[in-house]
Amino acid sequence: MTLANMTPTSVAGTISRPSRRTLTLRYIRRNKGLAIGLAILVVLALFTIIGLLVIDPKKAYPLSAALKQPPSLKYPFGTDFFGRDLLAAMVVGTWQTAFIGVLAGGIGTLVGVVLGFIAAYFGGWIDAGIRTICQILTPIPVLLIQVVVAGSLDKRDVTIVTMAMIVAMLAWMGPTLVIRAQVLTMKERQFVAVAKLSGVSDMGIIFKEILPNLLPFIAAAFVGQVFGAVFASFYLAVLGLGPLREPLLGNIIWAAQSQGAFFNGWWWWPLEPAFAMILILGALALVNMGLDELANPRVRKTE
Amino acid sequence: MSIRIVARRLLFFVLVVWAASTIVFFIPRLSPRNAIRERFGELARTGGFSPGDIEKLIASMQQQFGLDKPLLEQYWQYLGNIVRMDFGYSLSRYPMTVTDVIGQSLPWTIGLLLVTTVLSFVLGTVLGAISAWPKAPGWMRTVATPFILLTGVPPVIMGILLLFFIGFRLNWLPLGGAYSVGLVPNWSWTFFLDLMEHQILPALALILGSVGGWVLSMRGMGITIQGEDYVNFAEHKGLTSQRIFRDYYLRNALLPQVTGLALALGTVVTSAVIVEGLFGLPGIGTALNLAIRANDFPVIYGIVLFITIAIALLMTLLEFVYPLLDPRIRNN
């Protein structure tokens, strides 16, 4: 850390502080990645929400439209080999992708936060046990284990929710280790010692003293988990292990690939979910990096 | 490096393999699906066996695979088989063992993986180092930017875009397969060129999809190192810029980068496997794809386990490379 990076904050502290809102706005302006990422996510959310309100979701399923139509006025995104209106499929698919991401990411983060707190706060053999399990499971390529789980399920049992569960099942190790490390450093801080001396209970210290200070880390871990979950469910679907009837973005690509879409000249079919995926993953990556910067004062950009 | 550290690393390797094998053993047994029954059910639909024969066949097959024994006994036998790298027989290509299937497709995957990983790691590390080096010329520092922008794009999607723009629109390169239809594999020059032509797009997809990650991590390391006292000291000593770049800056940033490589191996391999499937190269990825489509469970589990073991082994080997890179670890 250089001196040049540290002085401006202390200077800004002595002058009268602008309101919280201006500070947030100014921070967003400095942290452009976060701003762009959030903007793309908002646009995608609007696309799905308005789409779900305007379009008949049944059109996203087979035999609801003319077959193999290139993009036109009637079908702005074209239709596929199975007679799905791809505009509707994209709306429903993006919604389902977001659903899987948020559900699986939420579960992974929650399990990670709970285990991380338990490990760091109680220490001893509990900590050693949790840490060892995380370390042993980390090198195992999660996607492949997910392939085994998804492959072992009956095809009828694979739904959007089971997809999220499969993805969440092996994704809690990262957040556990991150939160554990953060709680460990937090535990040694003075405000925790003061709280302990003034007789605050264990739970009080965890929920009132440590947790609020960890929120930026938890937010960053959550976005990272959502990214991972979207990525993993996409890969599973591309391998043909997703809920095959649903217009999940990865499923559309899988279907296009099995019908040889490019060989047959139906270029719009695989290309649209690919672009949607780029937008989703790119936005999440930008937000993730932006939050990392917010959570980690060492790299935080100051005015 | 002391024997204790070596022993610990080896024990860790064994534990990882054991954990993966145990997961792969128990998960399918928790599910109500019966691989052999499904396989024969399929055969019965297409071939027209009578149901009674099928039940007898299934029973004899289960006995042959040892599926009628108690679970724990099966588990011990299974662990023994893993140690001998025996993953059983393929159901859809029956007389072949899973090891045969893997052996047949492995050279393709190794070739693709080795070339793309080395290229993207070296390219990403150098670009990242330059982009964070304040004395590098301005244009050199911006070269890395497009790669950083591509970080969020998974290699599979990169593959689809390349297929569309270069394969389909421009028609420069083939749309898939390992070699042109009608060619017979031989050692001639034309066949070799054709082979390479089919490898360009998958390789490019993997490289473009992963360079950005290496650029980002190297860039981060580079920025941190610039503030360090020893770099300032080297500058004030009057060392040349190139010398500082090579010996003070690159050398120190390289170690976390190699750690990153070890951690990323899982992602690197799975990406390669899926990209192979997309382009229909006859590697492990296509074998996995076909096995998933054919419900060939022994092959699915065998490939998963094999890749896991290979990754764990590579990670352990990389751990032994650290001391060569970092004298601090060597002397400790």
Side-chain angles (χ1 to χ4, degrees), chain A residues 95-138:
Chain A
W95 161 249
Q96 289 174 338
T97 303
F99 180 79
I100 291 183
V102 171
L103 184 62
I107 295 175
T109 315
L110 192 69
V111 174
V113 169
V114 171
L115 284 180
F117 262 100
I118 291 176
Y121 205 81
F122 296 104
W125 63 271
I126 300 179
D127 182 28
I130 291 178
R131 216 181 54 226
T132 312
I133 292 175
C134 284
Q135 278 171 346
I136 289 176
L137 289 181
T138 306

Short mmCIF file of all heavy atoms in Angstrom, two decimals, chain A residues 95-138:
data_model
loop_
_atom_site.label_atom_id
_atom_site.label_comp_id
_atom_site.label_asym_id
_atom_site.label_seq_id
_atom_site.Cartn_x
_atom_site.Cartn_y
_atom_site.Cartn_z
N TRP A 95 -35.28 -15.85 -17.36
CA TRP A 95 -35.92 -15.88 -16.05
C TRP A 95 -35.50 -17.12 -15.27
O TRP A 95 -35.10 -17.04 -14.11
CB TRP A 95 -37.44 -15.81 -16.23
CG TRP A 95 -38.22 -16.27 -15.04
CD1 TRP A 95 -38.97 -17.39 -14.94
CD2 TRP A 95 -38.31 -15.61 -13.77
NE1 TRP A 95 -39.52 -17.49 -13.70
CE2 TRP A 95 -39.13 -16.41 -12.96
CE3 TRP A 95 -37.76 -14.44 -13.25
CZ2 TRP A 95 -39.43 -16.06 -11.65
CZ3 TRP A 95 -38.06 -14.10 -11.94
CH2 TRP A 95 -38.88 -14.90 -11.16
N GLN A 96 -35.54 -18.29 -15.96
CA GLN A 96 -35.18 -19.53 -15.28
C GLN A 96 -33.70 -19.54 -14.89
O GLN A 96 -33.35 -19.99 -13.80
CB GLN A 96 -35.48 -20.73 -16.18
CG GLN A 96 -36.97 -20.97 -16.32
CD GLN A 96 -37.29 -22.05 -17.31
OE1 GLN A 96 -36.47 -22.36 -18.17
NE2 GLN A 96 -38.47 -22.62 -17.21
N THR A 97 -32.86 -19.01 -15.78
CA THR A 97 -31.44 -18.94 -15.46
C THR A 97 -31.21 -18.09 -14.22
O THR A 97 -30.47 -18.47 -13.31
CB THR A 97 -30.66 -18.36 -16.65
OG1 THR A 97 -30.93 -19.16 -17.81
CG2 THR A 97 -29.18 -18.34 -16.39
N ALA A 98 -31.89 -16.93 -14.18
CA ALA A 98 -31.76 -16.05 -13.02
C ALA A 98 -32.25 -16.75 -11.77
O ALA A 98 -31.64 -16.67 -10.70
CB ALA A 98 -32.53 -14.76 -13.25
N PHE A 99 -33.36 -17.48 -11.90
CA PHE A 99 -33.94 -18.17 -10.75
C PHE A 99 -32.96 -19.19 -10.19
O PHE A 99 -32.67 -19.21 -8.99
CB PHE A 99 -35.24 -18.86 -11.20
CG PHE A 99 -35.94 -19.61 -10.11
CD1 PHE A 99 -36.70 -18.93 -9.18
CD2 PHE A 99 -35.82 -20.99 -10.01
CE1 PHE A 99 -37.34 -19.61 -8.16
CE2 PHE A 99 -36.45 -21.68 -8.99
CZ PHE A 99 -37.22 -20.99 -8.07
N ILE A 100 -32.41 -20.03 -11.09
CA ILE A 100 -31.42 -21.03 -10.65
C ILE A 100 -30.23 -20.34 -9.99
O ILE A 100 -29.78 -20.73 -8.91
CB ILE A 100 -30.93 -21.88 -11.84
CG1 ILE A 100 -32.04 -22.78 -12.33
CG2 ILE A 100 -29.71 -22.71 -11.45
CD1 ILE A 100 -31.63 -23.70 -13.44
N GLY A 101 -29.74 -19.28 -10.64
CA GLY A 101 -28.57 -18.58 -10.11
C GLY A 101 -28.81 -18.05 -8.72
O GLY A 101 -28.01 -18.27 -7.81
N VAL A 102 -29.95 -17.35 -8.53
CA VAL A 102 -30.20 -16.72 -7.24
C VAL A 102 -30.47 -17.77 -6.17
O VAL A 102 -29.95 -17.70 -5.05
CB VAL A 102 -31.37 -15.71 -7.34
CG1 VAL A 102 -31.78 -15.23 -5.97
CG2 VAL A 102 -30.97 -14.55 -8.23
N LEU A 103 -31.26 -18.80 -6.54
CA LEU A 103 -31.58 -19.84 -5.54
C LEU A 103 -30.31 -20.59 -5.13
O LEU A 103 -29.98 -20.67 -3.94
CB LEU A 103 -32.61 -20.81 -6.12
CG LEU A 103 -33.11 -21.88 -5.16
CD1 LEU A 103 -33.82 -21.24 -3.98
CD2 LEU A 103 -34.06 -22.85 -5.87
N ALA A 104 -29.58 -21.11 -6.13
CA ALA A 104 -28.38 -21.88 -5.80
C ALA A 104 -27.33 -21.00 -5.14
O ALA A 104 -26.69 -21.40 -4.17
CB ALA A 104 -27.81 -22.52 -7.07
N GLY A 105 -27.15 -19.78 -5.67
CA GLY A 105 -26.17 -18.87 -5.08
C GLY A 105 -26.54 -18.53 -3.65
O GLY A 105 -25.68 -18.48 -2.77
N GLY A 106 -27.84 -18.31 -3.40
CA GLY A 106 -28.30 -17.99 -2.06
C GLY A 106 -28.03 -19.13 -1.10
O GLY A 106 -27.48 -18.93 -0.01
N ILE A 107 -28.37 -20.36 -1.52
CA ILE A 107 -28.15 -21.51 -0.64
C ILE A 107 -26.65 -21.67 -0.36
O ILE A 107 -26.24 -21.82 0.79
CB ILE A 107 -28.71 -22.80 -1.28
CG1 ILE A 107 -30.22 -22.69 -1.41
CG2 ILE A 107 -28.33 -24.02 -0.45
CD1 ILE A 107 -30.86 -23.85 -2.14
N GLY A 108 -25.85 -21.63 -1.44
CA GLY A 108 -24.40 -21.78 -1.26
C GLY A 108 -23.84 -20.75 -0.30
O GLY A 108 -23.05 -21.08 0.59
N THR A 109 -24.25 -19.47 -0.48
CA THR A 109 -23.73 -18.42 0.39
C THR A 109 -24.18 -18.63 1.83
O THR A 109 -23.39 -18.50 2.76
CB THR A 109 -24.23 -17.05 -0.10
OG1 THR A 109 -24.07 -16.98 -1.50
CG2 THR A 109 -23.44 -15.93 0.54
N LEU A 110 -25.47 -18.99 1.99
CA LEU A 110 -26.00 -19.17 3.35
C LEU A 110 -25.24 -20.27 4.08
O LEU A 110 -24.76 -20.08 5.20
CB LEU A 110 -27.49 -19.53 3.25
CG LEU A 110 -28.25 -19.45 4.57
CD1 LEU A 110 -28.36 -18.00 5.02
CD2 LEU A 110 -29.61 -20.08 4.44
N VAL A 111 -25.10 -21.43 3.40
CA VAL A 111 -24.36 -22.54 4.02
C VAL A 111 -22.93 -22.10 4.32
O VAL A 111 -22.41 -22.35 5.41
CB VAL A 111 -24.35 -23.77 3.08
CG1 VAL A 111 -23.48 -24.87 3.65
CG2 VAL A 111 -25.76 -24.28 2.88
N GLY A 112 -22.32 -21.38 3.36
CA GLY A 112 -20.95 -20.92 3.56
C GLY A 112 -20.82 -19.99 4.75
O GLY A 112 -19.91 -20.13 5.57
N VAL A 113 -21.77 -19.04 4.87
CA VAL A 113 -21.70 -18.08 5.98
C VAL A 113 -21.85 -18.81 7.31
O VAL A 113 -21.08 -18.60 8.25
CB VAL A 113 -22.79 -16.99 5.81
CG1 VAL A 113 -22.91 -16.16 7.07
CG2 VAL A 113 -22.46 -16.09 4.63
N VAL A 114 -22.85 -19.71 7.38
CA VAL A 114 -23.09 -20.42 8.64
C VAL A 114 -21.86 -21.25 9.01
O VAL A 114 -21.33 -21.15 10.13
CB VAL A 114 -24.35 -21.31 8.52
CG1 VAL A 114 -24.46 -22.22 9.73
CG2 VAL A 114 -25.58 -20.46 8.38
N LEU A 115 -21.36 -22.07 8.05
CA LEU A 115 -20.21 -22.92 8.35
C LEU A 115 -18.97 -22.08 8.66
O LEU A 115 -18.21 -22.40 9.57
CB LEU A 115 -19.92 -23.86 7.18
CG LEU A 115 -20.87 -25.04 7.03
CD1 LEU A 115 -20.46 -25.89 5.84
CD2 LEU A 115 -20.85 -25.89 8.29
N GLY A 116 -18.78 -20.99 7.90
CA GLY A 116 -17.63 -20.13 8.13
C GLY A 116 -17.64 -19.55 9.54
O GLY A 116 -16.63 -19.54 10.24
N PHE A 117 -18.83 -19.09 9.96
CA PHE A 117 -18.95 -18.53 11.31
C PHE A 117 -18.68 -19.59 12.36
O PHE A 117 -17.94 -19.36 13.31
CB PHE A 117 -20.36 -17.96 11.53
CG PHE A 117 -20.41 -16.48 11.33
CD1 PHE A 117 -20.86 -15.95 10.13
CD2 PHE A 117 -19.99 -15.63 12.32
CE1 PHE A 117 -20.89 -14.59 9.94
CE2 PHE A 117 -20.02 -14.27 12.14
CZ PHE A 117 -20.47 -13.75 10.94
N ILE A 118 -19.30 -20.78 12.18
CA ILE A 118 -19.12 -21.86 13.16
C ILE A 118 -17.63 -22.19 13.29
O ILE A 118 -17.08 -22.25 14.39
CB ILE A 118 -19.92 -23.11 12.73
CG1 ILE A 118 -21.42 -22.83 12.85
CG2 ILE A 118 -19.54 -24.30 13.60
CD1 ILE A 118 -22.30 -23.95 12.38
N ALA A 119 -16.98 -22.36 12.11
CA ALA A 119 -15.57 -22.75 12.13
C ALA A 119 -14.73 -21.69 12.84
O ALA A 119 -13.93 -22.00 13.72
CB ALA A 119 -15.06 -22.96 10.71
N ALA A 120 -14.92 -20.42 12.45
CA ALA A 120 -14.04 -19.38 12.98
C ALA A 120 -14.37 -19.07 14.43
O ALA A 120 -13.49 -18.80 15.23
CB ALA A 120 -14.17 -18.13 12.13
N TYR A 121 -15.65 -19.10 14.80
CA TYR A 121 -16.01 -18.64 16.14
C TYR A 121 -15.72 -19.70 17.19
O TYR A 121 -15.28 -19.37 18.29
CB TYR A 121 -17.49 -18.23 16.18
CG TYR A 121 -17.74 -17.23 17.27
CD1 TYR A 121 -17.45 -15.88 17.07
CD2 TYR A 121 -18.19 -17.64 18.51
CE1 TYR A 121 -17.63 -14.96 18.07
CE2 TYR A 121 -18.39 -16.71 19.52
CZ TYR A 121 -18.11 -15.39 19.29
OH TYR A 121 -18.27 -14.47 20.28
N PHE A 122 -15.95 -20.96 16.86
CA PHE A 122 -15.74 -21.99 17.87
C PHE A 122 -14.35 -22.59 17.83
O PHE A 122 -13.88 -23.11 18.83
CB PHE A 122 -16.82 -23.06 17.76
CG PHE A 122 -18.19 -22.51 18.06
CD1 PHE A 122 -19.09 -22.25 17.05
CD2 PHE A 122 -18.53 -22.17 19.37
CE1 PHE A 122 -20.33 -21.70 17.32
CE2 PHE A 122 -19.78 -21.62 19.64
CZ PHE A 122 -20.67 -21.38 18.61
N GLY A 123 -13.70 -22.51 16.66
CA GLY A 123 -12.31 -22.96 16.58
C GLY A 123 -12.14 -24.43 16.93
O GLY A 123 -13.07 -25.22 16.84
N GLY A 124 -10.91 -24.79 17.33
CA GLY A 124 -10.63 -26.15 17.80
C GLY A 124 -10.86 -27.19 16.73
O GLY A 124 -10.63 -26.95 15.54
N TRP A 125 -11.38 -28.36 17.17
CA TRP A 125 -11.51 -29.46 16.21
C TRP A 125 -12.63 -29.21 15.22
O TRP A 125 -12.62 -29.74 14.11
CB TRP A 125 -11.72 -30.78 16.96
CG TRP A 125 -12.99 -30.84 17.77
CD1 TRP A 125 -13.14 -30.46 19.06
CD2 TRP A 125 -14.26 -31.28 17.32
NE1 TRP A 125 -14.45 -30.63 19.45
CE2 TRP A 125 -15.16 -31.13 18.41
CE3 TRP A 125 -14.74 -31.79 16.11
CZ2 TRP A 125 -16.50 -31.47 18.32
CZ3 TRP A 125 -16.08 -32.12 16.00
CH2 TRP A 125 -16.95 -31.96 17.11
N ILE A 126 -13.64 -28.39 15.61
CA ILE A 126 -14.72 -28.07 14.66
C ILE A 126 -14.12 -27.33 13.47
O ILE A 126 -14.37 -27.67 12.32
CB ILE A 126 -15.79 -27.20 15.34
CG1 ILE A 126 -16.38 -27.93 16.55
CG2 ILE A 126 -16.88 -26.81 14.35
CD1 ILE A 126 -17.42 -27.12 17.29
N ASP A 127 -13.31 -26.32 13.77
CA ASP A 127 -12.66 -25.55 12.72
C ASP A 127 -11.79 -26.45 11.85
O ASP A 127 -11.88 -26.44 10.62
CB ASP A 127 -11.81 -24.45 13.37
CG ASP A 127 -11.15 -23.56 12.34
OD1 ASP A 127 -11.72 -23.43 11.24
OD2 ASP A 127 -10.07 -23.02 12.63
N ALA A 128 -10.99 -27.29 12.52
CA ALA A 128 -10.08 -28.17 11.77
C ALA A 128 -10.88 -29.09 10.85
O ALA A 128 -10.53 -29.28 9.68
CB ALA A 128 -9.23 -28.99 12.74
N GLY A 129 -11.99 -29.63 11.37
CA GLY A 129 -12.81 -30.54 10.57
C GLY A 129 -13.40 -29.86 9.35
O GLY A 129 -13.25 -30.34 8.22
N ILE A 130 -14.03 -28.70 9.57
CA ILE A 130 -14.67 -27.98 8.46
C ILE A 130 -13.62 -27.59 7.42
O ILE A 130 -13.82 -27.75 6.22
CB ILE A 130 -15.43 -26.74 8.98
CG1 ILE A 130 -16.64 -27.20 9.80
CG2 ILE A 130 -15.86 -25.86 7.82
CD1 ILE A 130 -17.44 -26.07 10.40
N ARG A 131 -12.47 -27.12 7.90
CA ARG A 131 -11.44 -26.67 6.98
C ARG A 131 -10.91 -27.84 6.14
O ARG A 131 -10.74 -27.73 4.94
CB ARG A 131 -10.30 -26.02 7.75
CG ARG A 131 -9.68 -24.85 7.01
CD ARG A 131 -8.56 -24.25 7.80
NE ARG A 131 -7.57 -25.25 8.17
CZ ARG A 131 -7.05 -25.36 9.38
NH1 ARG A 131 -7.41 -24.55 10.34
NH2 ARG A 131 -6.15 -26.28 9.63
N THR A 132 -10.67 -28.98 6.81
CA THR A 132 -10.13 -30.12 6.08
C THR A 132 -11.12 -30.59 5.01
O THR A 132 -10.74 -30.87 3.87
CB THR A 132 -9.83 -31.27 7.05
OG1 THR A 132 -9.11 -30.76 8.15
CG2 THR A 132 -9.03 -32.36 6.37
N ILE A 133 -12.41 -30.66 5.38
CA ILE A 133 -13.41 -31.11 4.40
C ILE A 133 -13.41 -30.16 3.20
O ILE A 133 -13.41 -30.60 2.05
CB ILE A 133 -14.80 -31.18 5.06
CG1 ILE A 133 -14.82 -32.30 6.09
CG2 ILE A 133 -15.87 -31.41 4.01
CD1 ILE A 133 -16.09 -32.40 6.88
N CYS A 134 -13.39 -28.86 3.48
CA CYS A 134 -13.38 -27.88 2.38
C CYS A 134 -12.16 -28.08 1.50
O CYS A 134 -12.24 -28.06 0.27
CB CYS A 134 -13.36 -26.45 2.91
SG CYS A 134 -14.94 -25.93 3.54
N GLN A 135 -11.01 -28.29 2.13
CA GLN A 135 -9.77 -28.40 1.36
C GLN A 135 -9.75 -29.67 0.51
O GLN A 135 -9.23 -29.67 -0.59
CB GLN A 135 -8.56 -28.38 2.29
CG GLN A 135 -8.19 -26.96 2.66
CD GLN A 135 -7.15 -26.91 3.75
OE1 GLN A 135 -6.88 -27.91 4.40
NE2 GLN A 135 -6.58 -25.74 3.95
N ILE A 136 -10.35 -30.74 1.04
CA ILE A 136 -10.36 -31.99 0.26
C ILE A 136 -11.33 -31.88 -0.90
O ILE A 136 -11.07 -32.36 -2.00
CB ILE A 136 -10.70 -33.18 1.17
CG1 ILE A 136 -9.52 -33.45 2.11
CG2 ILE A 136 -10.99 -34.42 0.35
CD1 ILE A 136 -9.77 -34.54 3.10
N LEU A 137 -12.46 -31.21 -0.66
CA LEU A 137 -13.47 -31.14 -1.73
C LEU A 137 -13.11 -30.12 -2.80
O LEU A 137 -13.54 -30.24 -3.93
CB LEU A 137 -14.84 -30.80 -1.12
CG LEU A 137 -15.50 -31.91 -0.32
CD1 LEU A 137 -16.84 -31.45 0.20
CD2 LEU A 137 -15.68 -33.16 -1.17
N THR A 138 -12.31 -29.10 -2.44
CA THR A 138 -12.04 -28.03 -3.40
C THR A 138 -11.38 -28.50 -4.70
O THR A 138 -11.79 -28.08 -5.77
CB THR A 138 -11.19 -26.92 -2.74
OG1 THR A 138 -11.87 -26.51 -1.56
CG2 THR A 138 -11.03 -25.74 -3.65
#
